Amino acid sequence: MEFHRESLQSICRLCGGSCMPVPTHKTTLSSELQSAFDINTKEDDDSIHPSFICNCCRMKIFRWKKKKRKSPCNISLYTFKVHSLSCRICFKSEEDVKDDFFDTAVNAGLEMGYTVRRGSGCVYFAELTDDFKRVKKRIVIRANGDYDVELHGRILKQYPPEVPRQLKANTCHSFLSYIHRSTVCIGNPDFANLCRYKSLDLPATFKNAKREQVAYEERGYFTYDTVRHEKCELLNSTPDKKQCNVCSIYKASLHRMASSTSSSKPLSSLTTSHTRNDLLSTEILKEKTKELYREKKSLKRKLSNMSDHIKSSIKTSGEKLDDRMSNSLLEIMKKNTKQVNEDFPVGSVMHLLWEQQ
């Protein structure tokens, strides 16, 4: 019976799953338990009912409160029974042990702010970028304790000695905490010009003398683009370390490439504005299209500013006419609209002034 009482201390009062590693005592949520499930904690029997609530159930209760209790709380209650020879609390099946392992992992992940999804035989944890468009860190933990860690779209292959290669219920929290607080190598973010020299639009790639890819431009994970080596260690075990050893060494090679290309002429300087388009390369055509697009946007912006300026000038400096004078001028302008359109092209200052009048 004493073993049964001890086992109850690691089980959630509501769902019956594991409530480790940081449970909440049920008395702190007694009023919520009474309102949501009609559970009076004062009437609980210590030999039947557990004393703690897991983090997952606690968060569901808080969300239920936030919604002002408009719908039932989404928790399936576990029915606790008096201890017997076939007590499930004392003699857990293999499936129960797996559920406890997953419950512990899920609770730990939610506590650290991971997005958690439970699948068939595994649990997925995700940490998103600040704009919620990409998954910065992804972890998959399987029922047998094996796991995979993906950082910035790449599987982590090397782990520090202190990280266990197979997880148990009592090591899930420390493992997820380690991955959560560890930073990802920043690569080499100071080579945007070199990347654009290699590729105007697509992410740049870097190859060695054997034409093998050794590094690539990474986009979308940081607030800046960076160059990451293929053998990047990815994970920095200490928060003050920003760059792994591999990317740090490769930085010298990037500097050499940047210095050799800085003296080269830009693609656009190899041609003139009068060169026929069918004689231009694809890269130069892309650059020319971008330049024309930027010029068009600039002209539109100037035209809009000019229009706003004319409106403002008429509003502040214009003279208000009486109806007779206004009708006379309107008649004159209608008769001369065709001539004005021929003399002053659309978009010119005089045409804008005429439209405002």
Side-chain angles (χ1 to χ4, degrees):
M1 189 62 183
E2 189 61 32
F3 177 77
H4 178 79
R5 288 178 182 271
E6 290 178 3
S7 299
L8 287 174
Q9 300 309 305
S10 61
I11 296 175
C12 175
R13 170 65 178 86
L14 299 178
C15 67
S18 172
C19 62
M20 294 301 163
V22 188
T24 302
H25 201 278
K26 61 185 178 183
T27 55
T28 61
L29 298 171
S30 56
S31 60
E32 287 82 358
L33 298 184
Q34 183 74 56
S35 302
F37 310 107
D38 197 23
I39 293 176
N40 186 350
T41 56
K42 294 179 181 178
E43 296 178 358
D44 278 359
D45 187 336
D46 291 342
S47 64
I48 300 175
H49 302 102
S51 302
F52 297 98
I53 296 172
C54 70
N55 283 337
C56 185
C57 290
R58 177 177 62 84
M59 292 181 69
K60 287 181 179 180
I61 291 173
F62 284 162
R63 286 196 291 268
W64 172 74
K65 283 179 64 180
K66 193 173 182 180
K67 293 179 181 178
K68 299 181 180 178
R69 313 180 183 192
K70 292 182 179 179
S71 58
C73 188
N74 185 26
I75 297 177
S76 299
L77 295 180
Y78 183 85
T79 303
F80 292 93
K81 299 178 181 179
V82 179
H83 176 65
S84 63
L85 293 176
S86 59
C87 177
R88 287 195 64 188
I89 302 298
C90 299
F91 301 98
K92 291 188 175 182
S93 65
E94 183 179 339
E95 192 67 25
D96 293 330
V97 172
K98 183 180 76 172
D99 286 342
D100 281 356
F101 171 66
F102 280 161
D103 288 341
T104 301
V106 168
N107 292 339
L110 291 172
E111 179 187 333
M112 292 168 208
Y114 285 104
T115 299
V116 182
R117 182 172 68 86
R118 187 161 173 173
S120 177
C122 58
V123 181
Y124 300 90
F125 303 84
E127 185 177 322
L128 306 179
T129 54
D130 294 337
D131 58 5
F132 300 102
K133 291 183 178 179
R134 294 201 177 195
V135 179
K136 187 162 52 176
K137 298 177 182 179
R138 180 186 282 111
I139 306 168
V140 182
I141 298 180
R142 301 178 185 83
N144 61 358
D146 290 341
Y147 60 84
D148 286 318
V149 178
E150 186 181 293
L151 303 173
H152 290 208
R154 292 182 55 182
I155 297 294
L156 186 64
K157 297 179 180 179
Q158 296 180 344
Y159 295 89
E162 63 268 24
V163 177
R165 285 305 294 129
Q166 194 163 36
L167 300 178
K168 297 180 180 179
N170 60 348
T171 57
C172 274
H173 188 277
S174 59
F175 167 74
L176 290 171
S177 177
Y178 174 82
I179 300 297
H180 178 67
R181 69 174 182 269
S182 298
T183 58
V184 178
C185 168
I186 64 170
N188 287 289
D190 303 322
F191 297 92
N193 291 338
L194 176 61
C195 291
R196 296 291 65 77
Y197 181 85
K198 284 185 165 291
S199 174
L200 286 174
D201 299 316
L202 299 175
T205 57
F206 299 82
K207 299 180 179 181
N208 58 16
K210 297 180 180 179
R211 307 302 296 166
E212 299 169 336
Q213 182 171 311
V214 293
Y216 59 94
E217 182 185 13
E218 181 184 271
R219 298 179 180 178
Y221 289 101
F222 295 120
T223 54
Y224 49 82
D225 299 335
T226 189
V227 177
R228 189 177 300 283
H229 198 277
E230 288 288 351
K231 295 182 180 179
C232 174
E233 297 168 7
L234 293 173
L235 203 63
N236 294 321
S237 55
T238 54
D240 56 334
K241 187 178 181 181
K242 295 183 178 180
Q243 192 179 46
C244 75
N245 295 329
V246 177
C247 288
S248 178
I249 294 171
Y250 188 62
K251 189 173 185 177
S253 299
L254 291 172
H255 273 302
R256 285 195 296 272
M257 282 187 271
S259 62
S260 65
T261 56
S262 61
S263 57
S264 302
K265 293 182 178 180
L267 293 173
S268 57
S269 66
L270 301 178
T271 61
T272 69
S273 59
H274 302 292
T275 306
R276 283 167 36 192
N277 289 337
D278 59 343
L279 299 178
L280 300 178
S281 67
T282 304
E283 292 295 315
I284 296 176
L285 279 173
K286 287 180 180 178
E287 188 174 341
K288 185 176 179 180
T289 304
K290 279 188 171 183
E291 185 62 35
L292 289 172
Y293 178 73
R294 284 194 292 268
E295 186 178 338
K296 185 178 179 181
K297 282 185 68 176
S298 175
L299 289 173
K300 277 188 175 181
R301 186 166 57 251
K302 289 179 180 179
L303 187 61
S304 176
N305 292 339
M306 190 183 297
S307 179
D308 292 340
H309 179 68
I310 291 174
K311 285 181 182 179
S312 176
S313 297
I314 291 175
K315 190 173 182 180
T316 56
S317 306
E319 293 289 338
K320 188 173 183 179
L321 304 176
D322 57 36
D323 291 343
R324 184 182 175 186
M325 182 66 74
S326 177
N327 291 333
S328 298
L329 284 174
L330 187 60
E331 189 66 28
I332 293 171
M333 294 179 77
K334 284 182 178 179
K335 289 179 180 178
N336 292 277
T337 297
K338 183 177 180 181
Q339 187 64 38
V340 170
N341 289 335
E342 291 176 358
D343 294 343
F344 306 117
V346 177
S348 65
V349 176
M350 295 305 295
H351 196 281
L352 283 171
L353 183 59
W354 178 267
E355 286 180 342
Q356 293 300 324
Q357 293 291 344

